[in-house]
Amino acid sequence: MAQNEVIKREHIMLGLSAADKEECLRAIAQKAVELGLCTDAQAAYEGFMFRESQGATGLEDGFAIPHTRCDAVVKSGVIFAKTQKPVEWESMDDQPVEVMLALIVPKDGSNEHIRLLAALSRMLIKKDFREALKGSSSEEEIFELLSGVMNEK
């Protein structure tokens, strides 16, 4: 396993049942604790909500990049979540979101935060990449798509 592996197969959440953005972020925060990326789901959730209050993390075409930086985060990671049905989320195109690529970063990890955000932004510019992520229901396929971009060799 690479030292800087920020996404693993177990970081992928498919078929997330959530009524709204808050439920999505709570589920992702809980998953971060289960994965050992974070010690406190409530603190991670509050970090996500604080970031959302600074400006929407919804992009276009049903994607969002929520992120949290808090003291409870012990290890950087990316959690991929795909909802059963789109949820309301402030976004650049005013459309709901169904795919979230959540950044979980320690409070002191500012360079890591920027590196991960840049890597995600670069790949989400590509329409074929977005379509592949949205169209896939396979954890393995999603992991292969993301790991090549996110995990340092």
Side-chain angles (χ1 to χ4, degrees), residues 12-134:
I12 297 169
M13 303 171 67
L14 297 178
L16 180 63
S17 176
D20 56 27
K21 173 175 70 173
E22 289 77 13
E23 277 189 30
C24 290
L25 295 175
R26 283 192 186 283
I28 292 167
Q30 185 58 47
K31 182 74 167 177
V33 171
E34 292 168 17
L35 294 168
L37 299 174
C38 185
T39 59
D40 183 340
Q42 182 63 26
Y45 169 75
E46 288 171 6
F48 281 128
M49 292 307 292
F50 175 76
R51 175 56 190 86
E52 291 295 320
S53 75
Q54 304 299 299
T57 59
L59 304 176
E60 295 178 325
D61 202 22
F63 283 83
I65 306 179
H67 33 294
T68 187
R69 290 176 62 198
C70 65
D71 291 328
V73 176
V74 294
K75 183 179 177 194
S76 293
V78 174
I79 294 176
F80 175 94
K82 190 170 173 184
T83 58
Q84 290 177 3
K85 58 184 183 194
V87 296
E88 288 303 311
W89 200 298
E90 298 79 20
S91 63
M92 295 165 110
D93 62 359
D94 294 322
Q95 295 301 309
V97 164
E98 61 184 299
V99 177
M100 289 135 280
L101 288 146
L103 304 181
I104 319 291
V105 183
K107 199 165 195 173
D108 62 356
S110 58
N111 289 342
E112 179 78 351
H113 175 250
I114 292 166
R115 182 185 73 77
L116 291 173
L117 193 55
L120 286 172
S121 298
R122 275 194 304 275
M123 68 181 178
L124 290 176
I125 289 171
K126 300 173 184 154
K127 184 176 176 150
D128 58 336
F129 191 87
R130 290 192 315 271
E131 287 176 353
L133 283 177
K134 279 178 86 171

